[in-house]
Amino acid sequence: MKYKYLKLLVILFGQLLTIMDIFIINVSIPSIQRDLHASHGEMQFMIAAYLIGFASLLITGGRLGDLYGRKKMYVIGLSAFMISSVACGFSAGAYQLVIARFVQGISAAIMAPQVLSMIQILFPDHQERTKAMGWYGITIGTGTVLGQFLGGYFSSLTIIEEPWRLIFLMNIPICLPAIFLSLRLLDESKMDVKQSFDWSGVLILSAGLFCATYALTLSEHEGLDFKNVSLMIISGGIVFTFIKNQKKRIQKKQAYLIDFELFRYKNFNVGIIAVSFFFIMLDSYFYILSLFFQNGLKISPMEAGEIIVFQGLGFILASFVSVKLILRYGKKALMAGLGFIILILMLQLFLFRTQIGFPVFCLLLFLHGLGIGSIIPSLANIALSGMSEKLIGNASGVYNTFQQIAAIIGIVAVGSVFYYFLGENPDAQHYHNAFSVALLVNILCLILVMICILKVPDHVLPELRNRK
C-alpha cells in the first residue's frame, strides 16, 4: 500500500479520459461534419456510438476485472482507448469515426469499473476512502470542464488543416504515461477462486443493453417512434431472459456474469436507486439548460459554454470541501447538499424569468455545481461500501451501468416533457414555461434521492464529529 495517493492519481487518469471524451466531441460537431461531409444522422451516430459502447459493456468490464485482474484490465482498457483514439484522429470518413468511437466506448467500459474497484480496495478505511472519493469527484468535474474547453480550443486552432483531429490525438500523451505508471505502481487484485468466464451471458446482456441504449440515445433526436419503442421492448425481453439464465447458471454452479449476492446489500440497492434518480436529474438538466439558453434566451453558444464552465468549477471546489463535511456529519451533509441543489433550482425557476446579467447566470451555475459536487462522490461510496473484494468489480460495473442508462433516460424523458410544453411554434414565454416544468421534474427526482439517502444504514456514512 506504499505511495497510495500516487496510485490513486494513476487510477484517476482512466476516469478523466472516460468523462472527458463524452463531452469533447460536442463543440467540434460543426467542423467534423463539414470536413467529413457527414449527414445529420451520421453525426448523431458519432455522439451516440461512444455512449452505446460504454453502457453496453460496463458490467462485463467489471466482471473481467474480478476474474482476470483489475490492474490487467485497466491497462488493457487504457491501451485500447489510446489505439481507438488514434483511429478516431485519422478517420477518413464518417463511418470510420463512428466505429472508432464505438471501440473507444468499449475501451472506457473496460477501464471505468476498475477505477471504482481499485479505489475501494486501496482505501479500505472509511475516512481515507471518503477522501479518495472526493478526488474521484474532482476528476469527474475536471473531465467535464476540460472536455468542453479543449474541444473548443483544439477545434479553433489553425496549425493543421483539420484541427478537430487533435481532440482525439491529445489522448496519446495522457495514455502513454498512465500505462507506464500503471504497470510500475499498481498492485494486481482479483478473485482468489478461479472461475471460467460466462461468454454467453456477455452476449445476451450486451445485446439487451445495446438495444436499450441505442433506442434511448436515438430517441433524443428521433422521438419514440415504432422502431425505438420496439427495440426497448425487445431489450426488456432480452434482459428478462438474461436474469433467468444467470439464476439457472448460479444454481448449477456454472460460470455467471452477475452475482446476485450484490443485491443482498441494502446500501448497494439504495445507492443504485439514488444514483439513477440523481443522473436522470443531472443530465436532463444540462440538456434542457443548453436549449433554454441558446433558443429561449438567445445566448450565444460561446457565452452558454462559458456559463456552464462555472458549474464545473463549483463542482471541483465542492469535491474538496464536501469530504470534511461528509466525514463530520455523515448523511446530514448529503441531505443538506440535496436541499441546497433544490434551492438553487427554485431560484433559477424565478430568476431566469427576469432580466439578469451574465454574472448572475455564472453565479447560479457555480452554486448549482457546488451542490452537485457535494453529492456525486458519496453516491458511489454508499453503493460500494462494505462490498467484499470478490464482488467489488461486479458491483462497480452494475453501478456504472445504472448511472449511464439513467443519464440517457433523463435526457429522453425530461426532454420529452420539455418539448411537449414548448409546443409547435414556441416564443420566449413558451421556453420559460417548458424550462420551469422540466425543473419541477428535476426537483421531484432530487426529493426521491433524499428519500433514498434517509434509507442508507447509519454505519455506511457514520458521523465522526465526536471522535478525536
Side-chain angles (χ1 to χ4, degrees):
M1 289 299 178
K2 206 175 177 183
Y3 310 122
K4 270 187 180 182
Y5 285 94
L6 183 56
K7 292 175 182 178
L8 175 64
L9 178 64
V10 174
I11 293 166
L12 292 177
F13 270 125
Q15 186 65 25
L16 180 69
L17 287 165
T18 298
I19 298 298
M20 202 164 64
D21 273 65
I22 292 174
F23 294 96
I24 204 165
I25 196 173
N26 293 344
V27 185
S28 308
I29 287 171
S31 53
I32 295 174
Q33 187 168 16
R34 182 187 64 245
D35 292 339
L36 296 183
H37 308 290
S39 66
H40 291 305
E42 287 169 339
M43 291 310 300
Q44 288 176 26
F45 274 115
M46 277 178 211
I47 298 168
Y50 183 92
L51 293 172
I52 292 168
F54 186 45
S56 299
L57 286 161
L58 278 163
I59 292 173
T60 300
R63 188 63 177 162
L64 284 168
D66 284 342
L67 293 179
Y68 300 114
R70 297 172 186 106
K71 172 184 172 179
K72 183 186 292 181
M73 287 301 119
Y74 181 67
V75 172
I76 289 172
L78 270 172
S79 303
F81 195 91
M82 181 176 69
I83 294 166
S84 56
S85 295
V86 172
C88 287
F90 287 102
S91 294
Y95 280 106
Q96 287 180 30
L97 186 51
V98 168
I99 293 167
R101 283 285 287 174
F102 181 68
V103 175
Q104 218 183 16
I106 292 172
S107 307
I110 295 172
M111 276 195 296
Q114 319 315 328
V115 173
L116 277 175
S117 300
M118 288 191 284
I119 289 174
Q120 301 299 311
I121 293 166
L122 194 59
F123 299 95
D125 176 72
H126 171 67
Q127 286 183 263
E128 283 197 321
R129 188 173 64 247
T130 301
K131 291 176 184 176
M133 291 306 293
W135 284 103
Y136 175 80
I138 290 165
T139 305
I140 294 173
T142 304
T144 304
V145 173
L146 271 180
Q148 294 175 89
F149 172 76
L150 292 177
Y153 174 74
F154 282 117
S155 296
S156 63
L157 291 178
T158 56
I159 55 174
I160 62 173
E161 190 176 339
E162 297 178 342
W164 59 265
R165 296 182 184 278
L166 296 174
I167 70 175
F168 302 113
L169 298 177
M170 62 159 284
N171 290 332
I172 299 170
I174 300 175
C175 288
L176 281 175
I179 293 167
F180 174 76
L181 291 171
S182 297
L183 291 170
R184 291 293 301 271
L185 296 176
L186 298 183
D187 302 310
E188 187 58 280
S189 63
K190 59 182 176 180
M191 289 175 61
D192 294 329
V193 181
K194 285 190 176 181
Q195 292 185 11
S196 56
F197 192 68
D198 179 17
W199 290 106
S200 64
V202 170
L203 291 173
I204 297 170
L205 180 61
S206 298
L209 291 176
F210 179 90
C211 289
T213 314
Y214 177 89
L216 287 168
T217 305
L218 293 189
S219 292
E220 177 191 343
H221 303 281
E222 299 174 356
L224 291 173
D225 58 14
F226 177 77
K227 178 191 71 177
N228 291 328
V229 171
S230 299
L231 278 173
M232 281 190 258
I233 293 169
I234 291 168
S235 170
I238 293 173
V239 171
F240 178 74
T241 303
F242 169 78
I243 293 170
K244 285 185 69 177
N245 171 267
Q246 291 292 288
K247 288 182 176 179
K248 191 180 294 184
R249 293 184 74 89
I250 291 170
Q251 287 174 355
K252 293 180 177 179
K253 297 185 177 179
Q254 296 175 330
Y256 54 85
L257 190 60
I258 293 184
D259 192 332
F260 289 95
E261 190 181 334
L262 287 174
F263 301 101
R264 293 180 185 173
Y265 289 79
K266 181 180 178 181
N267 53 290
F268 180 74
N269 294 327
V270 171
I272 59 174
I273 294 170
V275 80
S276 296
F277 281 115
F278 193 82
F279 273 84
I280 286 172
M281 177 280 300
L282 185 60
D283 281 66
S284 66
Y285 171 80
F286 280 124
Y287 179 66
I288 60 172
L289 186 72
S290 178
L291 293 171
F292 177 62
F293 274 0
Q294 295 184 49
N295 298 337
L297 300 182
K298 305 301 179 185
I299 296 173
S300 71
M302 180 64 75
E303 279 188 314
E306 288 172 358
I307 294 169
I308 291 171
V309 164
F310 277 87
Q311 198 271 353
L313 295 175
F315 188 119
I316 295 168
L317 178 62
S319 297
F320 279 108
V321 177
S322 67
V323 170
K324 292 182 180 179
L325 295 175
I326 295 295
L327 287 173
R328 188 172 175 83
Y329 298 107
K331 289 196 298 186
K332 292 176 184 175
L334 278 185
M335 295 295 288
L338 289 163
F340 182 74
I341 300 170
I342 291 173
L343 175 63
I344 298 304
L345 291 182
M346 291 179 71
L347 282 173
Q348 291 180 13
L349 203 65
F350 294 105
L351 290 178
F352 284 0
R353 287 181 172 272
T354 62
Q355 294 293 322
I356 59 174
F358 183 80
V360 179
F361 279 121
C362 294
L363 177 61
L364 287 171
L365 267 291
F366 176 77
L367 293 174
H368 183 266
L370 281 178
I372 298 300
S374 69
I375 303 299
I376 286 181
S378 292
L379 293 178
N381 210 3
I382 288 168
L384 304 179
S385 178
M387 197 69 64
S388 65
E389 190 170 327
K390 74 164 189 169
L391 295 172
I392 195 70
N394 218 195
S396 299
V398 173
Y399 175 87
N400 275 300
T401 302
F402 270 88
Q403 177 180 309
Q404 290 304 314
I405 291 179
I408 300 168
I409 288 172
I411 290 170
V412 174
V414 183
S416 298
V417 171
F418 178 82
Y419 282 120
Y420 176 79
F421 282 92
L422 198 60
E424 291 295 327
N425 299 300
D427 55 20
Q429 187 60 45
H430 287 106
Y431 271 99
H432 281 293
N433 293 340
F435 183 70
S436 298
V437 173
L439 281 193
L440 290 173
V441 176
N442 286 165
I443 290 169
L444 175 61
C445 288
L446 287 169
I447 291 170
L448 293 171
V449 176
M450 292 178 88
I451 293 169
C452 290
I453 299 300
L454 286 172
K455 299 285 185 182
V456 174
D458 290 333
H459 67 83
V460 173
L461 290 176
E463 293 182 36
L464 302 178
R465 55 181 166 173
N466 296 323
R467 299 185 190 181
K468 293 184 180 180

